[in-house]
Amino acid sequence: CQSIVKMTEREERRFAEVPRESIKLMAESSGVELSEEVAALLAEDVCYRLREATQNSSQFMRHAKRRKLSVEDLNRALRWSNTETICGYGAQDALPFRPLKEGELFFVEDREINLVELALATNIPKGCAETMVRVHVSYLDGKGNLEPQGTVPTAVQSLSEDLLKYYQQITRAILGEDPHLMKVALLDLQSNSKIAALLPYFVYVISGVKSVSHDLDQLNRLLHMVKSLVQNPYLYLGSYVRSLVSSVMYCILEPLAASINPLNDHWTLRDYAALLLSHIFWTHGDLVSGLYHQILLSLQKVLSDPVRPLCSHYGAVVGLHALGWKAVERVLYPHLPAYWANLQAVLDDYSVSNAQVKADGHKVYGAILVAVERLLKMKALSLTLAAEGSGAGLPGTTTGAVGFRENSPGLSPPSEPLSEPPLGIASHLQAGGAGCPWEEWTPVSLPAMYCELYSFFGDSLAVRFSTGPPLGGATPPGPCQPLEGRKEPASSAPNLENTRKMPQLTASMNISPRQDGSPRMEPQPPSLAATETRKTCSVEVPPGPGLGTTDIFPKARFPLPQAGPPAFSFIIGGRQMGRRCQGRRFQTSFTPTPPLTTHPPRAYAHKLPVIGRVSKPVRRWTCSHYSLHLPL
Amino acid sequence: MAAVQDGPMELDAEKETKPEILSDGTSNLSGNTASGTLSSSPLTAAPAGGAPKMEDQQTLIAVLQFLKRNKLSESVEILRREAGLGEHQEDSQATDGSGGGKGDGDGGDANSLLSRVFITSAAAPQSMLVKKDQPDVSVVLSAYSQQGDPPLYQVYYSGLKNFIESVLDCHRAELSQLFYPLFVHMYLELVYNNHETKAKAFFDKFSGDQECYYQDDLRILCGLTKKEHLKGNEVLLDFRTSRFVLRISRDSYQLLKRHLQERHNNQIWNIIQEHLYIDIFDGMPRSKSQIDSMSGSLAGEARREVNKAKVFYGLLKEPEIEVPLDDEDDEAENEEGKPKKKKTKKDSLGSKSKKQDPNAPQQNRIPLPELKDSDKLDKIMYMKESTKRIRLGPENLPSICFYTFLNAFQGLTAVDFTDDSSLLAGGFADSTVRVWSVTPKKLRKVKSTAELNVIDKESDDVLERIMDEKTASESKILHGHSGPVYGVSFSPDRNYLLSSSEDGTVRLWSLQTFTCLVGYKGHNYPVWDTQFSPFGYYFVSGGHDRVARLWATDHYQPLRIFAGHLADVTCTQFHPNSNYVATGSTDRTVRLWDVLNGNCVRILTGHKGPIHSLAFSPNGKFLASGSTDGRVLLWDIGHGLMIGELKGHTDTIYALKFSRDGEILASGSMDNTVRLWDSMKAFDEVETDDFTATTGHIHLPDNSQELLLGMYHSKSTPVTHLHFTRRNLLLAAGAYNSQ
């Protein structure tokens, strides 16, 4: 029983005593009546025994090399003196010791615990981190190393000379001209364990993105700096992560000054920034979870603002894509009907003055297509998983690993398991932002979603959807009949994903006339379209500097010549052939293409940057795990 | 396991009670006889040192009676047969002994505790017979019952106080030593005779006069107000059963004696006679500071004669094989086309170790395991490393690497490094032992027997092949203890690890299979520390049962039991020549024990708190000890003298280590600092003329600040262990404490 002890401090004895009243009270509580003398004697004895036990327990504390006496110490002392131990107070945290207003009573709060509830509780605490040993050169030749030990960063402190020098060198190297030096500096930034004190300075430098929006090169370098900081395992970003995220968001969304010149490839920058954003959410999910809704909101705002330039819209789409398919489902999908009209208008305008804008529009179109495709695939997968009962969200770790993994930047943040029921996430979002437009969002069934999206994209969606690595290695479940039908070709011809490659497309045009059996075959002669495409390609898109995007770029504008709804129907025709032509023939027509044979199909599994350019940057990111080098 | 010749070392259970063991005064009771109970401590705590024949017999008889009372008739028979004592002789000797005990004069060592037992038994023989199964504790306590007139105690005490305050300054300091033991004994007598209120009044009146370093004991004392409490209190039992030792000059003593006789103050005189041991010396009375530096232990200072025994503190000769092996090694190197570069250096090292140290023990004084090939290889590695060693000094301080244990929620209680600094072991309060490899080489287990049968045993790399690559990991966890692990120690060959725990066992673990090989049971109480001998094979453990035990890894029972401490043995350390063991204790003394015969050869007093760390200097001449009071004391083992006091730490010192060449002493503490001390200077400045050597009255210079070479803070990480690598890099270890 937990005793209520009245402490009396007597000057001459200098230790606590248990008064006889307490003894009597305790005796009464267990139904024993004590006389005054007995109580007095007992009180004295209790006092002595308590003190003895405390003294004995102190040696256990000393040998455990602690300063604080624990309940465990006292229990050990009691055990060794053949006394019953006290159970239930072994917790590491201090027990609140409370005074009672009336009377000088002090007691330990002793709440009742429902053992059944505790035993059956499902929120089992996560295992604590593994005990480990870290070595640290504390003092070199007896001289102090001024940096604090361990990974716990201190607040901004006055910088030591060495740190200041390091800061200057690093920033100079990163923002300087020498790409090799930059690489070295970024690598160090990524692995240096002692730069905690410099973090605020680096974050400040990075926040300078707004002042260099005309210089893609510098923006890129700053983003790389963000990535290095984010990847540094020794840094605790803490609240600085907000600043970093806002810098990244700037690069994604803002109509940068650099994008005025169509020669500047700001698209890559946006893609990279989106990639980075998703990386931050992946690796620092705990820090940024509060930001998730804010970011969704701002992305949505951009998307729903028709005044904004298309490059901003593009950024919003890739940003949503980067935040995961749930974000796409929640924000992009409901907005699509409204947005489509605007985009359509842009794409339908054939005037020369509109050429550049139209090119941008196709970028957006491609980005949406990719995002939507991914949404459908993930949703199908999640349904599969749910149906299989293996609902434990295993984003990116389960079967079908490779392709799935490579898609990781586009996955939803780790806080959202794949299989989480839509309602759960809805409430989650509600909690985040009040009055969000997606509040009234209701889950749309997969077939319905597919049908609606199909109405926008036609068979281009179908083709894209049916290609790529089979997600989760599992075919969609029976209920989604239309899906299953469309997925079929994918499994029979995995190389179909190569249809995204421009050369392949042109090739398919050549084949297309043979696709007579196709039920969905459209009346338009595909060959014409193909030539048209090639023409527009060569005319409209100037070769991007140092980036192998130009030859692929027209792919996004493939439907371009077919104005209005017929344009889409044309696409359907073209793609349809691709889809229905038993793949095999398709494949054979492409094997001679050199780049395809040299690279395994997996290399193209990454879809995000596919819009417009498939080639180098994409492969680098997917294959070499965000290697530092990005062709600038 | 290295084989050891069965020689004088062997002590079987049968031989335990042999008289030759008992007769050397330290009462080497062990195993069954002691049966691990603390009630036997009055017997085992008999004073060390030379003892006349008369007392031998008394001791023997006392042991016989003890055995009888505990119904160990078989042991009684054996002992009697061995000692050649008859039944009748025992009884007659008992009465003789009591007679002799009464006649003792001024503090001769004949008047031991045991003879007092017989005084009382002679006075009340009937009660003895009736209460046969009573623990002898009550017998000891009954010594108080004869005392008279409690109400006058305050008068007596203040009378003595007035007298001491009135004497000349030079005597006052010496006679003031009487206050504390007299105070305690008088208080206990009052309590024992049920004068509770008088005891309280007595305590309140005079407790303030006592030296501050007795505060801990006084705190225990003040809680004790009932006769019943006396029975269970171990600390006070110690106080009763041991005689408080005071060192007083002859002049001061005469003064005291005259005073007490003039006043007919028999009460105090009786206490002095019975419970105090006054060690009288000729010469100048000591000053207050001299006294203070030596006092503080539970039972007063050490008697001078117990520190008179010769201690062979020199180092053993390095084995002969060393030099030829070195040559072989050189030749091997030559074959590989490397030049003979280090030849000369090694020769010089070799010749140095070949010189026989006059203070060294005989090479075969205790049997040591023979060197295996792997040991020789390791020695060669050691030699090579030591040629690259950094010479440390006040101008050249070592670099410090801190090994921080992160996420040690379960509580880090002990740490050890291997000598070559390749492995790190941590003992935790959750009963686990964890071993880390601190080099890139991972820890691997040996393959299972089935797999071992398959491998080619003739191949050159068989040692590599037996390891299971699948088990390679940076750390391994050893499960087996059922209580916090308070001590860990690696064997010198890195094949074994010892751990001692609260569960009363010491366990030997294999670092090849990472399994427990042996559990050594014997302590029955928490084992606070364990330490391997520098040559392996032997190890020592010390625990709550107040004894340290010497074990050999291939014996499940201890070879020696070092009994004598009046409280827990908190830390243990082997002398570099493996012939001696130092133990530190909660009774605030350090003792040095001879491994050969189990004798206590040094009692070092001066600490004011429990001792938690010990370190021998590499040359074996000096010992450093650190305690909870934050002070490090330096001792000259040869003379048994305190030669230095290093003040500075503000909390318990848990780690002490000399650098490889002994120039620097590093101390690590709970106060999150590592401090480096100039040990060379501390040793050099000691005045070791004959006078101080004979009297032991050292005058310590207060030069801690000069000796302190550096103070290094860790970040919220108490320093649990310190280790100098073979190249003199200082490694410190501790668990990060987030509070």
Side-chain angles (χ1 to χ4, degrees), chain A residues 13 44-45 48 51 59 62-63 65 67 76 80 129-134 136 138-139 141-142 149, chain B residues 196 200 222-223 225 229 233 398-400 402 404 406-407 410 413 502 544 568 651 654 670 712-713:
Chain A
R13 296 296 289 263
E44 205 162 350
D45 197 59
Y48 171 74
R51 210 168 298 129
Q59 66 185 343
R62 278 204 308 270
H63 282 282
K65 301 185 166 92
R67 281 197 199 85
R76 288 188 201 288
W80 283 112
E130 183 67 17
T131 307
M132 55 169 140
V133 181
R134 278 276 162 84
H136 179 86
S138 306
Y139 295 94
D141 295 333
Q149 179 202 342
Chain B
E196 196 182 318
K200 262 185 189 165
C222 74
T225 49
H229 298 162
N233 197 308
S399 301
I400 306 175
F402 208 107
T404 312
L406 300 172
N407 307 321
Q410 58 288 80
T413 44
E502 193 244 13
H544 181 60
D568 305 31
D651 210 328
Y654 280 117
M670 273 281 266
Y712 304 100
H713 287 276

Side-chain angles (χ1 to χ4, degrees), chain A residues 545-565:
Chain A
L547 200 71
T549 55
T550 36
D551 49 339
I552 297 140
F553 187 59
K555 173 224 155 190
R557 285 188 279 132
F558 180 58
L560 184 139
Q562 322 309 326

Side-chain angles (χ1 to χ4, degrees), chain A residues 337-413:
Chain A
Y339 186 73
W340 199 254
N342 294 330
L343 191 60
Q344 194 86 61
V346 171
L347 294 178
D348 287 351
D349 187 350
Y350 290 104
S351 64
V352 181
S353 60
N354 191 46
Q356 184 57 44
V357 178
K358 200 155 67 170
D360 291 356
H362 281 295
K363 288 268 190 194
V364 179
Y365 172 84
I368 294 174
L369 186 59
V370 167
V372 159
E373 169 201 2
R374 179 172 181 75
L375 164 68
L376 285 175
K377 283 191 177 173
M378 294 309 291
K379 205 166 163 71
L381 179 68
S382 74
L383 284 173
T384 321
L385 286 179
E388 281 167 4
S390 61
L394 299 166
T397 52
T398 39
T399 45
V402 191
F404 205 108
R405 249 298 181 218
E406 282 166 352
N407 281 338
S408 60
L411 270 185
S412 55

